[in-house]
Amino acid sequence: MTSYAFWNSNEGDSLSRHLPDSRAFIADQLSAAYDYLALEENRELWSYVPEVHHAVRSNNVDVLRQLRGRVVKDHKVIKDGNWVPVLDAPSPITSCAWWVLLESAQLNDRLNEDLQRVSQDPNCQCMCGAYYDLYGSHPSEEARLAFMDYVKCRWPIHVFALDPVTQQQNVADQFGMRREL
């Protein structure tokens, strides 16, 4: 098992952290970040995704810093089952929420590019010509339908069946013929 040591300057010794523990912590924080972004009072954070995408494409670090500051400035944590505002350093949940928004901006762009490419295929019946917002906890109905058509065109399901009884009989017949020869 791979372990990583992080130096603790207060105690002067190294603490051993295991990779699975780190992965579990990050997975928990990402799950909490998705829950945080799905809350009714935080849904407006999804509106930053187009700005984030444009800032990343134009390599505008100042705009990205401002957007990140808006996402993490008024963060909240759960205390006694309620979301309570905290005024000190950003929580891991809001930091992960920022990364979710950043990743959503890039993934949305890639999905729309692939959706345009797939819709140009003559064998595809979907006509997805618009740019859709495929991110967030509640995408539009039009975006959902376009995505469902995209999935049907991109990964069609081919169904075939075998009759196991006939298949076994054919194998037995072939084996018997080979024996007789």
Side-chain angles (χ1 to χ4, degrees):
M1 177 182 293
T2 306
S3 65
Y4 297 91
F6 297 98
W7 184 257
N8 185 346
S9 60
N10 295 338
E11 297 178 16
D13 58 16
S14 63
L15 300 174
S16 178
R17 304 274 190 229
H18 294 285
L19 187 58
D21 295 337
S22 301
R23 286 182 178 161
F25 174 77
I26 291 171
D28 289 343
Q29 296 305 310
L30 281 172
S31 177
Y34 278 106
D35 293 342
Y36 178 77
L37 289 169
L39 291 174
E40 190 66 39
E41 64 263 16
N42 295 325
R43 285 200 184 152
E44 78 274 356
L45 295 176
W46 289 108
S47 66
Y48 296 149
V49 170
E51 285 182 82
V52 169
H53 172 68
H54 182 69
V56 168
R57 286 289 186 171
S58 62
N59 199 19
N60 194 338
V61 177
D62 294 331
V63 172
L64 286 172
R65 282 189 187 128
Q66 289 173 354
L67 291 169
R68 184 183 182 281
R70 282 191 239 161
V71 171
V72 300
K73 74 172 181 167
D74 294 325
H75 67 281
K76 301 171 186 167
V77 295
I78 297 178
K79 279 190 179 174
D80 300 326
N82 297 320
W83 286 93
V84 179
V86 178
L87 301 174
D88 56 353
S91 72
I93 294 173
T94 56
S95 296
C96 286
W98 165 250
W99 290 109
V100 167
L101 294 174
L102 188 66
E103 184 69 22
S104 296
Q106 301 309 305
L107 181 61
N108 186 61
D109 188 49
R110 295 293 298 255
L111 275 172
N112 274 291
E113 286 174 5
D114 199 41
L115 201 138
Q116 299 297 324
R117 187 184 58 76
V118 167
S119 67
Q120 292 174 357
D121 184 8
N123 296 330
C124 180
Q125 287 80 20
C126 67
M127 300 304 286
C128 305
Y131 189 88
Y132 299 101
D133 293 335
L134 300 167
Y135 53 84
S137 54
H138 300 288
S140 68
E141 189 65 29
E142 184 182 4
R144 290 179 193 193
L145 293 173
F147 184 75
M148 289 179 0
D149 288 343
Y150 163 72
V151 169
K152 287 178 188 173
C153 288
R154 184 84 162 92
W155 298 284
I157 297 174
H158 301 285
V159 178
F160 63 92
L162 296 175
D163 186 8
V165 175
T166 307
Q167 185 71 16
Q168 289 173 356
Q169 288 174 349
N170 290 342
V171 169
D173 291 344
Q174 288 295 326
F175 182 72
M177 286 177 57
R178 199 169 112 207
R179 261 176 110 189
E180 290 175 9
L181 289 175

